Every structure is written in structure tokens, then in C-alpha cells.
């Protein structure tokens, strides 16, 4: 199908389902459902490309730092609870029960630092720990009833930080950003998990081998 025919067909379908929609909303919808063109093989990035990568990384990093400021402000209502605890408890809730090492890896912390955080969460009565039946050297953790209740409260309260940061973005633009960044997040989550002890240069070679 020719690109113009594909675009017209997509517009007709979208308009039939959303009669009041405008062109900008359609464009956002169309981009959410269609990936951009793949980068040409073996073409080195120009200086401009590298500048764009750096600007994007800086922007995402700054937004994360701003979100942390807002989130820590919210946590003032929960004395003794650290923001990192929320990340760890969310990961545990996804697994329901998991090895400590797997939880730490899921939130991208160094093992020693992550285990220390898990021990503090356990000391607060928010986790239940037991030996892994398949490996007595490993420990399994899950949220206690107290931990489950706290996590629900934190989700509700920390939503205020999310909302404050992204309030000015339209719902369609939020979905577009999620669509654009999810593949990158998943790709590098797997890359890190499978290459824990490699240096950055080795990770670059791994990416090149996969392309």
C-alpha cells in the first residue's frame, strides 16, 4: 500500500471512531501505532546525532531528578520511609515473591546496596523473608500485610508527584512518549540483565552484534 493511501485510510478509520478529533490528535494517534523507520545500517552517527542523544539523556535525567524532589516532598507524610523503598516494594509486588538478588537487579541497584535496603525494609516489618527451597543459600522475600497496605498508600500519594510533573502534557502525548520509550527501556533492561559484569565498550559491541 502506498504511504499516502495508508495515511488516508488510517485517517478515515480514526475519524469514523472519533468524529470530533482534529488533525493534531490524529497525528499523535498515528505515530503511537507506527514505529519510525529503522536507522540505516553501518552509517556512523554524526556529531549532531550525538548531540541529540546527549540532550535527550540530559532531559530525561533532569526530569527524573525533578520527580525525585516532588516524590520526597510527598514522603514527608511518611516518616522513616525512603523513596527507594517504594521502588523495591513495587518490584516485589510484581513478582509476589522473589529472590533478593532478582529484586535488586529489577531496580538496577548494586547488589550490596540493594540487599542493605531490603534488610531495612524487612526490619520495618514490611517484608517476609524465607529460605529458597531450591537453593538454601538464597532468600525469598514478599510483602507483609503491613507492606501491602503501605504500598497502596504510597501509590496513591506519589501519584501527586507524577501528576504535578506531567500535568501539562495531553493524554495523547503521554501515550506517545510511552510508546516511543518503552522499546528502549525493555531492550536495555534485558541488555543489563544478561551482561551484568561487562564494561560499556563491551555492551556497545553486544548491541552492534544484535543489529
Amino acid at each position: 500500500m502506498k504511504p499516502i493511501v495508508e495515511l488516508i485510510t488510517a485517517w478515515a478509520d480514526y475519524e469514523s471512531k472519533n468524529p470530533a478529533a482534529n488533525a493534531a490528535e490524529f497525528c499523535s494517534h498515528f505515530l503511537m501505532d507506527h514505529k519510525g523507520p529503522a536507522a540505516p545500517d553501518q552509517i556512523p552517527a554524526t556529531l549532531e546525532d550525538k548531540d541529540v542523544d546527549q540532550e535527550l539523556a540530559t532531559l530525561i535525567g533532569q526530569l527524573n531528578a525533578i520527580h525525585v524532589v516532588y516524590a520526597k516532598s510527598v514522603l514527608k507524610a511518611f516518616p522513616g520511609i525512603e523513596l527507594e523503598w517504594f521502588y523495591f516494594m513495587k518490584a516485589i509486588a510484581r513478582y509476589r515473591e522473589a529472590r533478593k538478588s532478582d529484586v535488586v537487579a529489577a531496580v538496577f541497584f548494586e547488589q550490596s546496596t540493594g540487599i542493605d535496603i531490603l534488610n531495612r525494609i524487612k526490619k520495618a516489618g514490611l517484608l517476609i523473608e524465607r529460605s529458597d527451597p531450591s537453593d538454601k543459600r538464597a532468600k525469598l522475600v514478599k510483602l507483609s500485610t503491613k507492606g501491602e497496605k503501605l504500598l497502596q498508600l504510597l501509590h496513591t500519594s506519589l501519584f501527586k508527584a507524577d501528576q504535578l510533573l506531567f500535568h501539562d502534557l495531553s493524554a495523547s502525548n503521554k501515550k506517545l512518549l510511552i510508546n516511543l520509550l518503552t522499546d528502549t527501556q525493555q531492550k536495555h533492561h534485558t541488555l543489563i540483565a544478561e551482561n551484568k559484569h561487562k564494561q560499556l565498550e563491551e555492551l556497545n559491541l553486544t548491541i552492534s552484534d544484535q543489529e
Side-chain angles (χ1 to χ4, degrees):
M1 183 184 296
K2 291 184 178 181
I4 186 63
V5 176
E6 180 184 6
L7 189 60
I8 293 172
T9 302
W11 164 254
D13 179 64
Y14 182 75
E15 186 182 32
S16 68
K17 297 174 182 175
N18 305 273
N22 57 39
E25 291 169 338
F26 165 71
C27 289
S28 293
H29 168 80
F30 187 82
L31 288 173
M32 279 190 284
D33 288 345
H34 294 75
K35 302 296 181 185
D41 292 338
Q42 299 180 336
I43 297 179
T46 65
L47 180 60
E48 182 180 354
D49 292 333
K50 293 177 182 178
D51 288 343
V52 171
D53 287 344
Q54 189 174 61
E55 184 174 351
L56 179 59
T58 299
L59 179 61
I60 292 173
Q62 289 178 340
L63 285 171
N64 179 65
I66 293 168
H67 184 266
V68 167
V69 171
Y70 290 156
K72 286 186 175 181
S73 178
V74 171
L75 287 181
K76 289 178 181 179
F78 298 87
I81 302 301
E82 303 170 27
L83 181 58
E84 289 80 8
W85 291 19
F86 175 64
Y87 304 145
F88 278 75
M89 291 169 69
K90 273 207 310 182
I92 294 169
R94 284 197 300 270
Y95 287 116
R96 294 191 179 275
E97 185 176 54
R99 288 186 177 183
K100 281 185 169 182
S101 56
D102 291 338
V103 175
V104 174
V107 291
F108 304 108
F109 271 66
E110 292 290 337
Q111 280 293 317
S112 58
T113 302
I115 295 298
D116 181 59
I117 291 172
L118 285 171
N119 288 337
R120 296 205 302 273
I121 299 174
K122 177 190 171 187
K123 188 176 180 180
L126 303 171
L127 295 183
I128 297 172
E129 180 182 303
R130 68 184 179 99
S131 296
D132 186 344
S134 64
D135 184 354
K136 296 299 183 182
R137 297 169 299 176
K139 297 292 184 181
L140 297 173
V141 290
K142 66 178 181 179
L143 295 180
S144 64
T145 300
K146 180 181 176 181
E148 290 175 346
K149 291 179 179 178
L150 176 62
L151 182 59
Q152 290 178 351
L153 287 173
L154 292 176
H155 267 298
T156 301
S157 298
L158 288 170
F159 172 70
K160 298 173 185 176
D162 306 338
Q163 193 174 39
L164 178 59
L165 184 58
F166 299 114
H167 176 266
D168 293 332
L169 288 174
S170 68
S172 59
N173 280 338
K174 291 174 190 177
K175 291 176 182 177
L176 175 59
L177 287 170
I178 291 170
N179 184 65
L180 292 173
L181 294 174
T182 294
D183 282 353
T184 299
Q185 185 271 339
Q186 292 176 345
K187 173 181 179 179
H188 289 278
H189 184 285
T190 301
L191 184 68
I192 290 173
E194 294 178 352
N195 301 274
K196 293 179 181 178
H197 305 296
K198 289 186 177 181
Q199 299 297 317
L200 187 63
E201 292 76 10
E202 294 176 288
L203 292 180
N204 281 330
L205 289 174
T206 301
I207 292 174
S208 298
D209 290 342
Q210 293 175 352
E211 292 177 346

